[in-house]
Amino acid sequence: INWFILTPAPIYCFSLSFYVRILYKACQSPVVFLVYNGINRLERGRKQIMYQGIIFDFNGTMFFDSQENEQAWRQFIYTSANREITDQEFQHQIHGRPNQAALEYFFNRSLTPCEVSQLSEGKERIYRQLCLENADRFHLVEGLTELLDQLVDQQIPCAIATAAGKGNIDFYIEHFDLH
């Protein structure tokens, strides 16, 4: 076993299957999903299985931000499309769907790539502001910094997998001191 991919729940595994295929082709060896339910699970796994690296899913694993993300979507759609999002719409039109599909649904029309980019960034600006405003929630999960330090000390390669755009990635790197 060469790589673990940590993900918060089995429902996210489908979105990371892309990374599994890439890693398998790159290293010609098995890739394992480790469903992340806490740092101790990884530590037990590390003692039992040798591996060459770890890929962390960021949102929902390293940083619990679903509340801010949902609030940002609701606020953005309310101010930009003049409507509210129902809980059912949120589950079916936003969760697990690309921004383009979600935005086209809520704006009820096809959007150009430029429009999708601009609208997505508008939503992400709200999200980043909400993160900063909720200082008590704006931190990596408890124990993760120590785990990352251990992995660096042991020279175990780590990577972060995320569907976040560059603006959010830069935001995370800056505010969580990830490098």
Side-chain angles (χ1 to χ4, degrees), residues 8-40:
I11 194 167
Y12 289 122
C13 289
F14 76 92
S15 65
L16 290 177
S17 63
F18 171 75
Y19 296 105
V20 171
R21 289 192 301 273
I22 288 175
L23 283 174
Y24 185 77
K25 287 178 182 177
C27 59
Q28 293 298 308
S29 59
V31 178
V32 171
F33 278 106
L34 175 64
V35 177
Y36 176 78
N37 288 320
I39 299 304
N40 291 335

Side-chain angles (χ1 to χ4, degrees), residues 162-177:
T162 182
K166 183 168 177 5
N168 283 2
I169 292 169
D170 291 344
F171 176 75
Y172 302 140
I173 290 170
E174 175 186 349
H175 290 281
F176 294 132
D177 194 30

Side-chain angles (χ1 to χ4, degrees), residues 58-123:
F58 190 78
N59 303 89
T61 301
M62 296 178 73
F63 172 49
F64 298 137
D65 64 342
S66 59
Q67 183 177 331
E68 289 77 13
N69 193 43
E70 183 171 334
Q71 187 177 351
W73 268 110
R74 291 183 185 280
Q75 185 176 330
F76 176 75
I77 294 300
Y78 184 77
T79 58
S80 299
N82 297 317
R83 60 167 298 202
E84 293 186 1
I85 301 174
T86 67
D87 291 341
Q88 184 176 6
E89 284 178 316
F90 203 89
Q91 291 301 317
H92 295 286
Q93 301 302 327
I94 294 178
H95 281 302
R97 303 215 35 205
N99 278 0
Q100 181 169 352
L103 291 167
E104 286 180 347
Y105 172 83
F106 288 109
F107 284 90
N108 198 28
R109 66 182 180 86
S110 295
L111 299 170
T112 67
C114 184
E115 289 174 309
V116 170
S117 179
Q118 290 173 342
L119 291 168
S120 294
E121 183 53 30
K123 180 265 179 190

